[in-house]
mmCIF file with all atom_site columns, all heavy atoms in Angstrom:
data_model
loop_
_atom_site.group_PDB
_atom_site.id
_atom_site.type_symbol
_atom_site.label_atom_id
_atom_site.label_alt_id
_atom_site.label_comp_id
_atom_site.label_asym_id
_atom_site.label_entity_id
_atom_site.label_seq_id
_atom_site.pdbx_PDB_ins_code
_atom_site.Cartn_x
_atom_site.Cartn_y
_atom_site.Cartn_z
_atom_site.occupancy
_atom_site.B_iso_or_equiv
_atom_site.pdbx_formal_charge
_atom_site.auth_seq_id
_atom_site.auth_comp_id
_atom_site.auth_asym_id
_atom_site.auth_atom_id
_atom_site.pdbx_PDB_model_num
ATOM 1   N N   . THR A 1 1  ? 26.257 -6.745  18.947 1.00 74.00 ? 1  THR A N   1
ATOM 2   C CA  . THR A 1 1  ? 27.379 -5.909  19.518 1.00 74.00 ? 1  THR A CA  1
ATOM 3   C C   . THR A 1 1  ? 27.361 -6.101  21.024 1.00 74.00 ? 1  THR A C   1
ATOM 4   O O   . THR A 1 1  ? 26.324 -6.066  21.660 1.00 74.00 ? 1  THR A O   1
ATOM 5   C CB  . THR A 1 1  ? 27.176 -4.443  19.157 1.00 74.00 ? 1  THR A CB  1
ATOM 6   O OG1 . THR A 1 1  ? 27.081 -4.295  17.813 1.00 74.00 ? 1  THR A OG1 1
ATOM 7   C CG2 . THR A 1 1  ? 28.377 -3.567  19.657 1.00 74.00 ? 1  THR A CG2 1
ATOM 8   N N   . GLU A 1 2  ? 28.522 -6.352  21.615 1.00 80.00 ? 2  GLU A N   1
ATOM 9   C CA  . GLU A 1 2  ? 28.601 -6.578  22.951 1.00 80.00 ? 2  GLU A CA  1
ATOM 10  C C   . GLU A 1 2  ? 28.541 -5.315  23.692 1.00 80.00 ? 2  GLU A C   1
ATOM 11  O O   . GLU A 1 2  ? 29.236 -4.352  23.478 1.00 80.00 ? 2  GLU A O   1
ATOM 12  C CB  . GLU A 1 2  ? 30.068 -7.235  23.333 1.00 80.00 ? 2  GLU A CB  1
ATOM 13  C CG  . GLU A 1 2  ? 30.101 -7.596  24.811 1.00 80.00 ? 2  GLU A CG  1
ATOM 14  C CD  . GLU A 1 2  ? 31.426 -8.419  25.067 1.00 80.00 ? 2  GLU A CD  1
ATOM 15  O OE1 . GLU A 1 2  ? 32.081 -8.877  24.113 1.00 80.00 ? 2  GLU A OE1 1
ATOM 16  O OE2 . GLU A 1 2  ? 31.715 -8.495  26.187 1.00 80.00 ? 2  GLU A OE2 1
ATOM 17  N N   . GLN A 1 3  ? 27.528 -5.311  24.638 1.00 79.00 ? 3  GLN A N   1
ATOM 18  C CA  . GLN A 1 3  ? 27.268 -4.116  25.407 1.00 79.00 ? 3  GLN A CA  1
ATOM 19  C C   . GLN A 1 3  ? 28.045 -4.246  26.828 1.00 79.00 ? 3  GLN A C   1
ATOM 20  O O   . GLN A 1 3  ? 28.102 -5.470  27.313 1.00 79.00 ? 3  GLN A O   1
ATOM 21  C CB  . GLN A 1 3  ? 25.793 -4.007  25.547 1.00 79.00 ? 3  GLN A CB  1
ATOM 22  C CG  . GLN A 1 3  ? 24.954 -3.736  24.317 1.00 79.00 ? 3  GLN A CG  1
ATOM 23  C CD  . GLN A 1 3  ? 23.528 -3.519  24.479 1.00 79.00 ? 3  GLN A CD  1
ATOM 24  O OE1 . GLN A 1 3  ? 22.984 -3.048  25.614 1.00 79.00 ? 3  GLN A OE1 1
ATOM 25  N NE2 . GLN A 1 3  ? 22.760 -3.820  23.479 1.00 79.00 ? 3  GLN A NE2 1
ATOM 26  N N   . PRO A 1 4  ? 28.326 -3.147  27.314 1.00 79.00 ? 4  PRO A N   1
ATOM 27  C CA  . PRO A 1 4  ? 28.943 -3.329  28.773 1.00 79.00 ? 4  PRO A CA  1
ATOM 28  C C   . PRO A 1 4  ? 28.054 -3.660  29.808 1.00 79.00 ? 4  PRO A C   1
ATOM 29  O O   . PRO A 1 4  ? 26.774 -3.548  29.719 1.00 79.00 ? 4  PRO A O   1
ATOM 30  C CB  . PRO A 1 4  ? 29.464 -1.796  28.985 1.00 79.00 ? 4  PRO A CB  1
ATOM 31  C CG  . PRO A 1 4  ? 28.495 -0.979  28.087 1.00 79.00 ? 4  PRO A CG  1
ATOM 32  C CD  . PRO A 1 4  ? 28.153 -1.789  26.841 1.00 79.00 ? 4  PRO A CD  1
ATOM 33  N N   . ALA A 1 5  ? 28.551 -4.387  30.813 1.00 78.00 ? 5  ALA A N   1
ATOM 34  C CA  . ALA A 1 5  ? 27.723 -4.814  31.955 1.00 78.00 ? 5  ALA A CA  1
ATOM 35  C C   . ALA A 1 5  ? 27.347 -3.517  32.768 1.00 78.00 ? 5  ALA A C   1
ATOM 36  O O   . ALA A 1 5  ? 27.994 -2.452  32.690 1.00 78.00 ? 5  ALA A O   1
ATOM 37  C CB  . ALA A 1 5  ? 28.550 -5.768  32.853 1.00 78.00 ? 5  ALA A CB  1
ATOM 38  N N   . PRO A 1 6  ? 26.238 -3.558  33.366 1.00 80.00 ? 6  PRO A N   1
ATOM 39  C CA  . PRO A 1 6  ? 25.668 -2.405  34.116 1.00 80.00 ? 6  PRO A CA  1
ATOM 40  C C   . PRO A 1 6  ? 26.544 -2.268  35.395 1.00 80.00 ? 6  PRO A C   1
ATOM 41  O O   . PRO A 1 6  ? 27.389 -3.183  35.856 1.00 80.00 ? 6  PRO A O   1
ATOM 42  C CB  . PRO A 1 6  ? 24.240 -2.717  34.400 1.00 80.00 ? 6  PRO A CB  1
ATOM 43  C CG  . PRO A 1 6  ? 24.243 -4.310  34.572 1.00 80.00 ? 6  PRO A CG  1
ATOM 44  C CD  . PRO A 1 6  ? 25.268 -4.716  33.327 1.00 80.00 ? 6  PRO A CD  1
ATOM 45  N N   . ASP A 1 7  ? 26.361 -1.140  36.098 1.00 81.00 ? 7  ASP A N   1
ATOM 46  C CA  . ASP A 1 7  ? 27.035 -0.895  37.471 1.00 81.00 ? 7  ASP A CA  1
ATOM 47  C C   . ASP A 1 7  ? 26.384 -1.830  38.406 1.00 81.00 ? 7  ASP A C   1
ATOM 48  O O   . ASP A 1 7  ? 25.330 -2.191  38.395 1.00 81.00 ? 7  ASP A O   1
ATOM 49  C CB  . ASP A 1 7  ? 26.827 0.497   37.852 1.00 81.00 ? 7  ASP A CB  1
ATOM 50  C CG  . ASP A 1 7  ? 27.524 1.590   36.991 1.00 81.00 ? 7  ASP A CG  1
ATOM 51  O OD1 . ASP A 1 7  ? 28.441 1.191   36.328 1.00 81.00 ? 7  ASP A OD1 1
ATOM 52  O OD2 . ASP A 1 7  ? 26.983 2.649   36.892 1.00 81.00 ? 7  ASP A OD2 1
ATOM 53  N N   . TYR A 1 8  ? 27.349 -2.188  39.359 1.00 79.00 ? 8  TYR A N   1
ATOM 54  C CA  . TYR A 1 8  ? 26.974 -3.166  40.427 1.00 79.00 ? 8  TYR A CA  1
ATOM 55  C C   . TYR A 1 8  ? 25.881 -2.480  41.285 1.00 79.00 ? 8  TYR A C   1
ATOM 56  O O   . TYR A 1 8  ? 25.986 -1.204  41.640 1.00 79.00 ? 8  TYR A O   1
ATOM 57  C CB  . TYR A 1 8  ? 28.260 -3.537  41.420 1.00 79.00 ? 8  TYR A CB  1
ATOM 58  C CG  . TYR A 1 8  ? 28.075 -4.567  42.279 1.00 79.00 ? 8  TYR A CG  1
ATOM 59  C CD1 . TYR A 1 8  ? 28.192 -5.844  41.764 1.00 79.00 ? 8  TYR A CD1 1
ATOM 60  C CD2 . TYR A 1 8  ? 27.871 -4.356  43.584 1.00 79.00 ? 8  TYR A CD2 1
ATOM 61  C CE1 . TYR A 1 8  ? 27.982 -7.067  42.567 1.00 79.00 ? 8  TYR A CE1 1
ATOM 62  C CE2 . TYR A 1 8  ? 27.805 -5.479  44.426 1.00 79.00 ? 8  TYR A CE2 1
ATOM 63  C CZ  . TYR A 1 8  ? 27.896 -6.775  43.913 1.00 79.00 ? 8  TYR A CZ  1
ATOM 64  O OH  . TYR A 1 8  ? 27.775 -7.939  44.853 1.00 79.00 ? 8  TYR A OH  1
ATOM 65  N N   . VAL A 1 9  ? 24.936 -3.091  41.784 1.00 79.00 ? 9  VAL A N   1
ATOM 66  C CA  . VAL A 1 9  ? 23.690 -2.643  42.527 1.00 79.00 ? 9  VAL A CA  1
ATOM 67  C C   . VAL A 1 9  ? 24.095 -2.905  43.951 1.00 79.00 ? 9  VAL A C   1
ATOM 68  O O   . VAL A 1 9  ? 24.269 -3.888  44.352 1.00 79.00 ? 9  VAL A O   1
ATOM 69  C CB  . VAL A 1 9  ? 22.464 -3.299  42.049 1.00 79.00 ? 9  VAL A CB  1
ATOM 70  C CG1 . VAL A 1 9  ? 21.343 -2.689  42.874 1.00 79.00 ? 9  VAL A CG1 1
ATOM 71  C CG2 . VAL A 1 9  ? 22.204 -3.175  40.591 1.00 79.00 ? 9  VAL A CG2 1
ATOM 72  N N   . PRO A 1 10 ? 23.983 -1.715  44.757 1.00 79.00 ? 10 PRO A N   1
ATOM 73  C CA  . PRO A 1 10 ? 24.188 -1.943  46.243 1.00 79.00 ? 10 PRO A CA  1
ATOM 74  C C   . PRO A 1 10 ? 23.043 -2.780  46.931 1.00 79.00 ? 10 PRO A C   1
ATOM 75  O O   . PRO A 1 10 ? 21.877 -2.760  46.334 1.00 79.00 ? 10 PRO A O   1
ATOM 76  C CB  . PRO A 1 10 ? 24.357 -0.505  46.705 1.00 79.00 ? 10 PRO A CB  1
ATOM 77  C CG  . PRO A 1 10 ? 23.527 0.260   45.560 1.00 79.00 ? 10 PRO A CG  1
ATOM 78  C CD  . PRO A 1 10 ? 23.808 -0.313  44.437 1.00 79.00 ? 10 PRO A CD  1
ATOM 79  N N   . GLY A 1 11 ? 23.298 -3.149  48.125 1.00 84.00 ? 11 GLY A N   1
ATOM 80  C CA  . GLY A 1 11 ? 22.289 -3.964  48.768 1.00 84.00 ? 11 GLY A CA  1
ATOM 81  C C   . GLY A 1 11 ? 21.138 -2.907  49.400 1.00 84.00 ? 11 GLY A C   1
ATOM 82  O O   . GLY A 1 11 ? 21.449 -1.921  49.632 1.00 84.00 ? 11 GLY A O   1
ATOM 83  N N   . HIS A 1 12 ? 20.054 -3.521  49.580 1.00 85.00 ? 12 HIS A N   1
ATOM 84  C CA  . HIS A 1 12 ? 18.889 -2.794  50.247 1.00 85.00 ? 12 HIS A CA  1
ATOM 85  C C   . HIS A 1 12 ? 18.247 -3.581  51.363 1.00 85.00 ? 12 HIS A C   1
ATOM 86  O O   . HIS A 1 12 ? 17.023 -3.429  51.612 1.00 85.00 ? 12 HIS A O   1
ATOM 87  C CB  . HIS A 1 12 ? 17.842 -2.618  48.986 1.00 85.00 ? 12 HIS A CB  1
ATOM 88  C CG  . HIS A 1 12 ? 18.262 -1.586  48.071 1.00 85.00 ? 12 HIS A CG  1
ATOM 89  N ND1 . HIS A 1 12 ? 19.112 -2.030  46.980 1.00 85.00 ? 12 HIS A ND1 1
ATOM 90  C CD2 . HIS A 1 12 ? 18.020 -0.273  47.847 1.00 85.00 ? 12 HIS A CD2 1
ATOM 91  C CE1 . HIS A 1 12 ? 19.347 -0.918  46.266 1.00 85.00 ? 12 HIS A CE1 1
ATOM 92  N NE2 . HIS A 1 12 ? 18.702 0.098   46.772 1.00 85.00 ? 12 HIS A NE2 1
ATOM 93  N N   . GLY A 1 13 ? 18.993 -4.529  52.035 1.00 95.00 ? 13 GLY A N   1
ATOM 94  C CA  . GLY A 1 13 ? 18.404 -5.205  53.104 1.00 95.00 ? 13 GLY A CA  1
ATOM 95  C C   . GLY A 1 13 ? 17.260 -6.309  52.823 1.00 95.00 ? 13 GLY A C   1
ATOM 96  O O   . GLY A 1 13 ? 16.440 -6.438  53.748 1.00 95.00 ? 13 GLY A O   1
ATOM 97  N N   . LEU A 1 14 ? 17.288 -6.829  51.651 1.00 97.00 ? 14 LEU A N   1
ATOM 98  C CA  . LEU A 1 14 ? 16.160 -7.624  51.213 1.00 97.00 ? 14 LEU A CA  1
ATOM 99  C C   . LEU A 1 14 ? 16.178 -8.958  51.955 1.00 97.00 ? 14 LEU A C   1
ATOM 100 O O   . LEU A 1 14 ? 15.121 -9.697  52.093 1.00 97.00 ? 14 LEU A O   1
ATOM 101 C CB  . LEU A 1 14 ? 16.280 -7.901  49.706 1.00 97.00 ? 14 LEU A CB  1
ATOM 102 C CG  . LEU A 1 14 ? 16.059 -6.672  48.839 1.00 97.00 ? 14 LEU A CG  1
ATOM 103 C CD1 . LEU A 1 14 ? 16.196 -7.200  47.236 1.00 97.00 ? 14 LEU A CD1 1
ATOM 104 C CD2 . LEU A 1 14 ? 14.793 -6.053  49.063 1.00 97.00 ? 14 LEU A CD2 1
ATOM 105 N N   . LEU A 1 15 ? 17.216 -9.313  52.541 1.00 98.00 ? 15 LEU A N   1
ATOM 106 C CA  . LEU A 1 15 ? 17.374 -10.596 53.332 1.00 98.00 ? 15 LEU A CA  1
ATOM 107 C C   . LEU A 1 15 ? 17.725 -10.317 54.788 1.00 98.00 ? 15 LEU A C   1
ATOM 108 O O   . LEU A 1 15 ? 18.248 -11.271 55.490 1.00 98.00 ? 15 LEU A O   1
ATOM 109 C CB  . LEU A 1 15 ? 18.419 -11.446 52.705 1.00 98.00 ? 15 LEU A CB  1
ATOM 110 C CG  . LEU A 1 15 ? 18.146 -11.899 51.248 1.00 98.00 ? 15 LEU A CG  1
ATOM 111 C CD1 . LEU A 1 15 ? 19.183 -12.871 50.688 1.00 98.00 ? 15 LEU A CD1 1
ATOM 112 C CD2 . LEU A 1 15 ? 16.755 -12.646 51.109 1.00 98.00 ? 15 LEU A CD2 1
ATOM 113 N N   . ALA A 1 16 ? 17.466 -9.273  55.411 1.00 97.00 ? 16 ALA A N   1
ATOM 114 C CA  . ALA A 1 16 ? 17.727 -8.864  56.660 1.00 97.00 ? 16 ALA A CA  1
ATOM 115 C C   . ALA A 1 16 ? 17.215 -10.075 57.625 1.00 97.00 ? 16 ALA A C   1
ATOM 116 O O   . ALA A 1 16 ? 15.990 -10.399 57.728 1.00 97.00 ? 16 ALA A O   1
ATOM 117 C CB  . ALA A 1 16 ? 17.089 -7.551  56.979 1.00 97.00 ? 16 ALA A CB  1
ATOM 118 N N   . GLY A 1 17 ? 18.078 -10.374 58.642 1.00 96.00 ? 17 GLY A N   1
ATOM 119 C CA  . GLY A 1 17 ? 17.617 -11.308 59.573 1.00 96.00 ? 17 GLY A CA  1
ATOM 120 C C   . GLY A 1 17 ? 17.501 -12.797 59.210 1.00 96.00 ? 17 GLY A C   1
ATOM 121 O O   . GLY A 1 17 ? 17.236 -13.561 59.968 1.00 96.00 ? 17 GLY A O   1
ATOM 122 N N   . ARG A 1 18 ? 17.835 -13.007 57.968 1.00 98.00 ? 18 ARG A N   1
ATOM 123 C CA  . ARG A 1 18 ? 17.727 -14.433 57.484 1.00 98.00 ? 18 ARG A CA  1
ATOM 124 C C   . ARG A 1 18 ? 19.015 -15.274 57.371 1.00 98.00 ? 18 ARG A C   1
ATOM 125 O O   . ARG A 1 18 ? 20.050 -14.725 57.122 1.00 98.00 ? 18 ARG A O   1
ATOM 126 C CB  . ARG A 1 18 ? 16.908 -14.432 56.007 1.00 98.00 ? 18 ARG A CB  1
ATOM 127 C CG  . ARG A 1 18 ? 15.592 -13.784 55.997 1.00 98.00 ? 18 ARG A CG  1
ATOM 128 C CD  . ARG A 1 18 ? 14.966 -14.065 54.706 1.00 98.00 ? 18 ARG A CD  1
ATOM 129 N NE  . ARG A 1 18 ? 13.628 -13.282 54.677 1.00 98.00 ? 18 ARG A NE  1
ATOM 130 C CZ  . ARG A 1 18 ? 12.824 -13.275 53.681 1.00 98.00 ? 18 ARG A CZ  1
ATOM 131 N NH1 . ARG A 1 18 ? 13.067 -14.013 52.731 1.00 98.00 ? 18 ARG A NH1 1
ATOM 132 N NH2 . ARG A 1 18 ? 11.808 -12.483 53.746 1.00 98.00 ? 18 ARG A NH2 1
ATOM 133 N N   . THR A 1 19 ? 18.976 -16.516 57.597 1.00 98.00 ? 19 THR A N   1
ATOM 134 C CA  . THR A 1 19 ? 20.140 -17.438 57.633 1.00 98.00 ? 19 THR A CA  1
ATOM 135 C C   . THR A 1 19 ? 19.955 -18.176 56.154 1.00 98.00 ? 19 THR A C   1
ATOM 136 O O   . THR A 1 19 ? 18.987 -18.853 55.827 1.00 98.00 ? 19 THR A O   1
ATOM 137 C CB  . THR A 1 19 ? 20.099 -18.428 58.764 1.00 98.00 ? 19 THR A CB  1
ATOM 138 O OG1 . THR A 1 19 ? 20.187 -17.663 59.826 1.00 98.00 ? 19 THR A OG1 1
ATOM 139 C CG2 . THR A 1 19 ? 21.302 -19.366 58.614 1.00 98.00 ? 19 THR A CG2 1
ATOM 140 N N   . VAL A 1 20 ? 21.166 -18.039 55.425 1.00 98.00 ? 20 VAL A N   1
ATOM 141 C CA  . VAL A 1 20 ? 21.134 -18.556 54.117 1.00 98.00 ? 20 VAL A CA  1
ATOM 142 C C   . VAL A 1 20 ? 22.128 -19.674 54.028 1.00 98.00 ? 20 VAL A C   1
ATOM 143 O O   . VAL A 1 20 ? 23.360 -19.550 54.576 1.00 98.00 ? 20 VAL A O   1
ATOM 144 C CB  . VAL A 1 20 ? 21.533 -17.443 53.050 1.00 98.00 ? 20 VAL A CB  1
ATOM 145 C CG1 . VAL A 1 20 ? 21.464 -18.045 51.584 1.00 98.00 ? 20 VAL A CG1 1
ATOM 146 C CG2 . VAL A 1 20 ? 20.498 -16.254 53.194 1.00 98.00 ? 20 VAL A CG2 1
ATOM 147 N N   . VAL A 1 21 ? 21.877 -20.749 53.305 1.00 99.00 ? 21 VAL A N   1
ATOM 148 C CA  . VAL A 1 21 ? 22.783 -21.779 53.108 1.00 99.00 ? 21 VAL A CA  1
ATOM 149 C C   . VAL A 1 21 ? 23.016 -21.946 51.580 1.00 99.00 ? 21 VAL A C   1
ATOM 150 O O   . VAL A 1 21 ? 21.959 -21.869 50.808 1.00 99.00 ? 21 VAL A O   1
ATOM 151 C CB  . VAL A 1 21 ? 22.308 -23.104 53.585 1.00 99.00 ? 21 VAL A CB  1
ATOM 152 C CG1 . VAL A 1 21 ? 23.301 -24.280 53.287 1.00 99.00 ? 21 VAL A CG1 1
ATOM 153 C CG2 . VAL A 1 21 ? 22.176 -23.208 55.027 1.00 99.00 ? 21 VAL A CG2 1
ATOM 154 N N   . VAL A 1 22 ? 24.352 -21.975 51.022 1.00 98.00 ? 22 VAL A N   1
ATOM 155 C CA  . VAL A 1 22 ? 24.608 -22.009 49.629 1.00 98.00 ? 22 VAL A CA  1
ATOM 156 C C   . VAL A 1 22 ? 25.575 -23.161 49.399 1.00 98.00 ? 22 VAL A C   1
ATOM 157 O O   . VAL A 1 22 ? 26.471 -23.220 49.943 1.00 98.00 ? 22 VAL A O   1
ATOM 158 C CB  . VAL A 1 22 ? 25.243 -20.709 49.170 1.00 98.00 ? 22 VAL A CB  1
ATOM 159 C CG1 . VAL A 1 22 ? 25.440 -20.644 47.601 1.00 98.00 ? 22 VAL A CG1 1
ATOM 160 C CG2 . VAL A 1 22 ? 24.410 -19.546 49.571 1.00 98.00 ? 22 VAL A CG2 1
ATOM 161 N N   . THR A 1 23 ? 25.265 -24.017 48.317 1.00 98.00 ? 23 THR A N   1
ATOM 162 C CA  . THR A 1 23 ? 26.050 -25.086 47.963 1.00 98.00 ? 23 THR A CA  1
ATOM 163 C C   . THR A 1 23 ? 26.948 -24.559 46.765 1.00 98.00 ? 23 THR A C   1
ATOM 164 O O   . THR A 1 23 ? 26.610 -23.686 46.025 1.00 98.00 ? 23 THR A O   1
ATOM 165 C CB  . THR A 1 23 ? 25.345 -26.216 47.586 1.00 98.00 ? 23 THR A CB  1
ATOM 166 O OG1 . THR A 1 23 ? 24.526 -25.988 46.345 1.00 98.00 ? 23 THR A OG1 1
ATOM 167 C CG2 . THR A 1 23 ? 24.477 -26.828 48.668 1.00 98.00 ? 23 THR A CG2 1
ATOM 168 N N   . ALA A 1 24 ? 28.215 -25.304 46.630 1.00 98.00 ? 24 ALA A N   1
ATOM 169 C CA  . ALA A 1 24 ? 29.111 -24.930 45.640 1.00 98.00 ? 24 ALA A CA  1
ATOM 170 C C   . ALA A 1 24 ? 29.423 -23.431 45.678 1.00 98.00 ? 24 ALA A C   1
ATOM 171 O O   . ALA A 1 24 ? 29.265 -22.703 44.609 1.00 98.00 ? 24 ALA A O   1
ATOM 172 C CB  . ALA A 1 24 ? 28.642 -25.302 44.200 1.00 98.00 ? 24 ALA A CB  1
ATOM 173 N N   . ALA A 1 25 ? 29.819 -23.083 46.928 1.00 98.00 ? 25 ALA A N   1
ATOM 174 C CA  . ALA A 1 25 ? 29.836 -21.569 47.103 1.00 98.00 ? 25 ALA A CA  1
ATOM 175 C C   . ALA A 1 25 ? 31.245 -20.961 47.229 1.00 98.00 ? 25 ALA A C   1
ATOM 176 O O   . ALA A 1 25 ? 31.381 -19.816 47.497 1.00 98.00 ? 25 ALA A O   1
ATOM 177 C CB  . ALA A 1 25 ? 29.134 -21.229 48.521 1.00 98.00 ? 25 ALA A CB  1
ATOM 178 N N   . ALA A 1 26 ? 32.235 -21.697 46.961 1.00 96.00 ? 26 ALA A N   1
ATOM 179 C CA  . ALA A 1 26 ? 33.649 -21.294 47.346 1.00 96.00 ? 26 ALA A CA  1
ATOM 180 C C   . ALA A 1 26 ? 34.441 -20.899 45.994 1.00 96.00 ? 26 ALA A C   1
ATOM 181 O O   . ALA A 1 26 ? 35.579 -20.682 46.058 1.00 96.00 ? 26 ALA A O   1
ATOM 182 C CB  . ALA A 1 26 ? 34.385 -22.300 48.085 1.00 96.00 ? 26 ALA A CB  1
ATOM 183 N N   . GLY A 1 27 ? 33.855 -21.139 44.854 1.00 88.00 ? 27 GLY A N   1
ATOM 184 C CA  . GLY A 1 27 ? 34.495 -20.834 43.521 1.00 88.00 ? 27 GLY A CA  1
ATOM 185 C C   . GLY A 1 27 ? 34.612 -19.459 43.206 1.00 88.00 ? 27 GLY A C   1
ATOM 186 O O   . GLY A 1 27 ? 34.392 -18.500 44.161 1.00 88.00 ? 27 GLY A O   1
ATOM 187 N N   . ALA A 1 28 ? 34.571 -19.037 41.986 1.00 88.00 ? 28 ALA A N   1
ATOM 188 C CA  . ALA A 1 28 ? 34.571 -17.766 41.512 1.00 88.00 ? 28 ALA A CA  1
ATOM 189 C C   . ALA A 1 28 ? 33.263 -17.437 40.699 1.00 88.00 ? 28 ALA A C   1
ATOM 190 O O   . ALA A 1 28 ? 33.211 -16.482 39.866 1.00 88.00 ? 28 ALA A O   1
ATOM 191 C CB  . ALA A 1 28 ? 35.829 -17.445 40.545 1.00 88.00 ? 28 ALA A CB  1
ATOM 192 N N   . GLY A 1 29 ? 32.290 -18.319 40.733 1.00 94.00 ? 29 GLY A N   1
ATOM 193 C CA  . GLY A 1 29 ? 31.110 -18.304 39.948 1.00 94.00 ? 29 GLY A CA  1
ATOM 194 C C   . GLY A 1 29 ? 29.854 -17.792 40.593 1.00 94.00 ? 29 GLY A C   1
ATOM 195 O O   . GLY A 1 29 ? 29.947 -17.009 41.456 1.00 94.00 ? 29 GLY A O   1
ATOM 196 N N   . ILE A 1 30 ? 28.740 -18.320 40.219 1.00 96.00 ? 30 ILE A N   1
ATOM 197 C CA  . ILE A 1 30 ? 27.480 -17.902 40.729 1.00 96.00 ? 30 ILE A CA  1
ATOM 198 C C   . ILE A 1 30 ? 27.328 -18.193 42.174 1.00 96.00 ? 30 ILE A C   1
ATOM 199 O O   . ILE A 1 30 ? 26.750 -17.291 42.845 1.00 96.00 ? 30 ILE A O   1
ATOM 200 C CB  . ILE A 1 30 ? 26.279 -18.688 39.990 1.00 96.00 ? 30 ILE A CB  1
ATOM 201 C CG1 . ILE A 1 30 ? 26.353 -18.240 38.436 1.00 96.00 ? 30 ILE A CG1 1
ATOM 202 C CG2 . ILE A 1 30 ? 24.881 -18.273 40.525 1.00 96.00 ? 30 ILE A CG2 1
ATOM 203 C CD1 . ILE A 1 30 ? 25.469 -19.139 37.561 1.00 96.00 ? 30 ILE A CD1 1
ATOM 204 N N   . GLY A 1 31 ? 27.784 -19.314 42.702 1.00 97.00 ? 31 GLY A N   1
ATOM 205 C CA  . GLY A 1 31 ? 27.714 -19.603 44.148 1.00 97.00 ? 31 GLY A CA  1
ATOM 206 C C   . GLY A 1 31 ? 28.286 -18.601 44.972 1.00 97.00 ? 31 GLY A C   1
ATOM 207 O O   . GLY A 1 31 ? 27.685 -18.034 45.964 1.00 97.00 ? 31 GLY A O   1
#
């Protein structure tokens, strides 16, 4: 039985101060 997705989790500053590079980042998916 399909279960609903959980609520979106707010940020907690886990990557504060870091510079991140992401490939394939402009679509509508995981990137």
